[in-house]
Amino acid sequence: GEHGERMERVKGVVAILADFKNRREEGKSRGEYVEALESDLSVAFGYLPSLTQKFMAIFPGAQILDFFEANEKPRPLCIRVNTLKTKKRALSHSLSSRGVNLGSVGEWSKVGVIIYESKVPIGATPEYLAGHYMIQSASSFMPVMALAPQEDERVLDLTASPGGKSTYIAALMKNTGVLFANDAKKERIKALVANIHRMGVRNSVVCNYDGRKFPEVIKGFDRVLLDAPCSGTGVICHDPSVKLQRTDDDIARTVMLQKQLLLAAIDCCDANSKTGGYVVYSTCSILVDENENVVNHALKKRNVKIVPTGLPFGVPGFVRFRENRFHPSTAECRRFYPHIHNLDGFFVCKLKKLSNDVVKASAEEVEEQQAVATDKKRKKEAAKVAKAEKAEDSDSSDDDEPKKKKAKGMRGSKGGKPGKGGKGFNGGKGAAGAKDKKSRPSPKGNKNAKGSRK
C-alpha cells in the first residue's frame, strides 16, 4: 500500500544520495532529495519533522533508515546479576531450570544476561523477589562501569530512581563505604527504596532533593553519577511517544536542566579525593544538544577535564557537529546506538575534577572581552606609530609582533585553545586574573595575577 510505496521511495533516495554524482536526476539538487527523504521518513515512521532533521544530521546516508527501523524493534530483555547475593553461573542455572532460555550479554560484562524466551514472568520469579537480579537494559551498565566506584568511597547517584544503577554501584562497592541515592520526585522514591531493600544494599542513604540544590545539602563525594533526565531519543523502542512529543522547545528546556544538574554534580564532587574526583554524565538520548553540548558547557564553567571512559566499545563523541566545534577531548565520550550495538541509544562522558574552585565564568568572559578590546586599541596605536616612523622602524615592530602573539597564545594553552587565555576549555586556569580582583584586565595583568597565585 501507501506505506510500501513510501518506503520504496525512501530506499531509492538513500541509494541516490549514496552516489549522488552518478545517480541524480538532471537539475535536481542534493537539498531537494534530502527534503523529500526527511518528509517521507517523518510520515512513514511517525516523527516530528524537526526531530527527523536532527537525526539525519547525526546519521549519514543509509544509517538513518537503519536507525529508524531499529527503533521499531524491541531490544532484547536484559537482566543484571546481583553479585551481593549470587553468582552469574548459579543464577543462570536456576533460571534455566524454570524454563528460561538465556545467554550472556557479551564478553564486555560479567553480570549481564540476555533473556531470549521464558515460560515464567521474569519480574516475578522467586529469584527476582529474592533480589538475585535486576531487570535492566544493557546500555545502562555503561555509566556505572565508567564511574568505576571503589570500595569504601563516598559516592552520589544524583538521579537514582528506580535504582538499577545505584544497586549496581553498591554491588561494585561490595556494600562498603556510603552511597547516597537521590531523586527529585517524591513518587519515584518508593521504587528506589523497594529495589535497594530487595537487592540487599546496606551502604545506602536515600534522599529526595532537587538535584540542582544538592551541593547545599552535602558535598565532598569521591564519585558522582548523573544519569540525567533527557528527551529519551535513545529509547524510542520503549517509548514511541517521544516521536511526536519532543518539540524543539521541549528539548531546549531539558538541556537547560541538564546543564544545571551537571554543574551541581561537579560541585558535589571533591577534586582532592584520594581515590576519585570523578563525575560521570550519561543520558538515554542521542542528540548532540543534550550530550556533547552539555558537557562542553561544564568545561567552560568548572575546573574539569574529559577523561577516557574505560568502556570496551562505543562510537566516539562528536568534536564537530554542524556549526558546533567542541573541545578535542570530547572524542573521549562514548555513544551507543540501537542499529549498531543492538543496545538502547545512550551517551556516556567521564569527567575528572581538577580543583574545587568555581570558575566565575561571567567575570572571566568580561575580562576576556576587555583584554581583546585593549589589544585592538594597542594594535591600532602601534599601526599609527609604525606609519609615522621610518620604514626601518616599521620593520623592527613587525618582528616584534609575532613574539607578542606567541606570548598571548601561551596564556591559555594549558589544555585550552591556544591564544584564548580567558576562556580556555581548561575551565579557565588561563584566566587567573579573573579571580584576582586587584589586577586590571590588561593581558599583562593577567600574567602577573597568575604568577602571584602560584
Side-chain angles (χ1 to χ4, degrees):
E2 205 178 322
H3 179 75
E5 279 168 40
R6 195 171 278 114
M7 288 310 294
E8 287 310 308
R9 269 210 310 271
V10 164
K11 283 177 184 143
V13 172
V14 166
I16 290 167
L17 288 172
D19 183 8
F20 188 64
K21 223 185 266 171
N22 300 318
R23 296 184 183 160
R24 72 184 220 173
E25 273 176 57
E26 264 313 301
K28 243 187 155 182
S29 71
R30 179 179 281 272
E32 287 172 72
Y33 279 111
V34 169
E35 226 165 89
L37 181 59
E38 188 193 300
S39 95
D40 273 342
L41 280 170
S42 301
V43 176
F45 291 98
Y47 287 80
L48 289 172
S50 58
L51 211 48
T52 304
Q53 216 170 0
K54 287 183 168 66
F55 292 144
M56 284 174 71
I58 295 173
F59 301 118
Q63 265 204 57
I64 183 66
L65 192 54
D66 297 340
F67 170 69
F68 274 179
E69 283 176 339
N71 287 343
E72 300 302 306
K73 301 183 189 96
R75 292 286 83 69
L77 180 67
C78 181
I79 64 175
R80 178 179 55 79
V81 179
N82 180 14
T83 51
L84 292 174
K85 292 199 171 190
T86 185
K87 293 202 162 59
K88 186 174 176 181
R89 209 193 210 146
L91 178 66
S92 299
H93 185 78
S94 4
L95 288 179
S96 297
S97 65
R98 293 189 192 282
V100 180
N101 180 0
L102 44 76
S104 175
V105 135
E107 288 293 300
W108 58 272
S109 172
K110 293 193 182 83
V111 292
V113 174
I114 297 258
I115 309 292
Y116 296 112
E117 51 179 355
S118 172
K119 299 190 170 82
V120 291
I122 293 298
T125 62
E127 287 78 11
Y128 176 86
L129 297 171
H132 290 200
Y133 63 89
M134 184 94 181
I135 298 173
Q136 193 173 357
S137 82
S139 57
S140 72
F141 295 13
M142 299 294 182
V144 179
M145 289 167 67
L147 189 68
Q150 307 296 302
E151 291 178 40
D152 297 312
E153 283 187 330
R154 292 182 54 188
V155 179
L156 167 64
D157 183 349
L158 202 52
T159 50
S161 189
K165 297 180 189 73
S166 285
T167 53
Y168 190 6
I169 290 171
L172 291 176
M173 294 169 77
K174 302 195 166 116
N175 255 339
T176 64
V178 60
L179 165 66
F180 281 71
N182 177 67
D183 202 278
K185 290 205 168 88
K186 192 80 184 219
E187 62 277 13
R188 288 170 60 102
I189 294 288
K190 205 161 112 201
L192 177 57
V193 170
N195 279 319
I196 280 176
H197 282 309
R198 184 174 63 83
M199 302 296 272
V201 171
R202 291 194 301 275
N203 66 347
S204 154
V205 177
V206 174
C207 36
N208 171 217
Y209 291 99
D210 178 338
R212 294 170 289 188
K213 301 272 196 296
F214 209 87
E216 299 158 32
V217 181
I218 185 167
K219 316 183 171 98
F221 290 94
D222 296 306
R223 294 173 201 254
V224 182
L225 174 63
L226 171 59
D227 182 51
C230 69
S231 63
T233 50
V235 292
I236 293 171
C237 68
H238 304 296
D239 181 9
S241 71
V242 169
K243 294 177 176 187
L244 292 172
Q245 279 176 9
R246 294 289 173 249
T247 60
D248 287 352
D249 286 353
D250 188 69
I251 291 164
R253 273 195 301 275
T254 305
V255 169
M256 180 84 180
L257 174 62
Q258 288 163 337
K259 286 178 175 174
Q260 293 169 326
L261 282 169
L262 181 51
L263 295 188
I266 292 167
D267 291 341
C268 286
C269 180
D270 180 14
N272 306 322
S273 157
K274 296 274 181 290
T275 55
Y278 294 101
V279 176
V280 167
Y281 175 79
S282 64
T283 69
C284 54
S285 171
I286 58 167
L287 299 180
V288 174
D289 282 353
E290 297 181 74
N291 295 327
E292 288 87 348
N293 168 43
V294 170
V295 171
N296 273 268
H297 174 259
L299 289 185
K300 289 177 194 156
K301 299 282 187 194
R302 294 291 184 273
N303 291 309
V304 292
K305 67 174 182 181
I306 298 176
V307 293
T309 57
L311 296 172
F313 60 93
V315 175
F318 286 97
V319 176
R320 35 193 314 164
F321 181 78
R322 287 175 146 176
E323 67 282 358
N324 297 307
R325 297 294 172 271
F326 299 119
H327 191 265
S329 63
T330 314
E332 296 289 3
C333 302
R334 286 293 172 263
R335 297 176 142 264
F336 301 91
Y337 294 135
H339 59 293
I340 294 178
H341 308 108
N342 197 17
L343 295 169
D344 290 335
F346 223 80
F347 174 85
V348 180
C349 172
K350 186 172 190 175
L351 298 165
K352 175 86 173 87
K353 191 167 178 185
L354 302 171
S355 108
N356 288 328
D357 299 335
V358 170
V359 181
K360 296 278 192 297
S362 51
E364 182 187 319
E365 280 156 24
V366 166
E367 171 151 24
E368 193 198 12
Q369 285 158 6
Q370 287 171 334
V372 168
T374 47
D375 213 35
K376 266 191 190 154
K377 217 186 253 173
R378 209 185 60 211
K379 276 189 183 147
K380 246 189 201 162
E381 279 159 19
K384 261 187 208 158
V385 172
K387 239 186 201 167
E389 285 177 350
K390 292 185 192 108
E392 290 158 40
D393 291 345
S394 73
D395 275 355
S396 69
S397 81
D398 280 350
D399 288 344
D400 221 36
E401 204 50 29
K403 281 182 200 145
K404 278 185 197 157
K405 268 200 185 113
K406 192 168 180 193
K408 182 166 190 264
M410 295 305 286
R411 258 173 44 226
S413 64
K414 252 206 198 166
K417 285 185 182 161
K420 270 195 161 184
K423 227 178 177 178
F425 277 99
N426 47 6
K429 270 190 293 188
K435 289 179 190 130
D436 191 335
K437 285 283 185 292
K438 285 191 248 8
S439 75
R440 291 306 304 142
S442 76
K444 276 190 199 124
N446 210 336
K447 272 186 225 160
N448 297 344
K450 186 162 188 179
S452 68
R453 233 167 103 233
K454 280 182 186 155

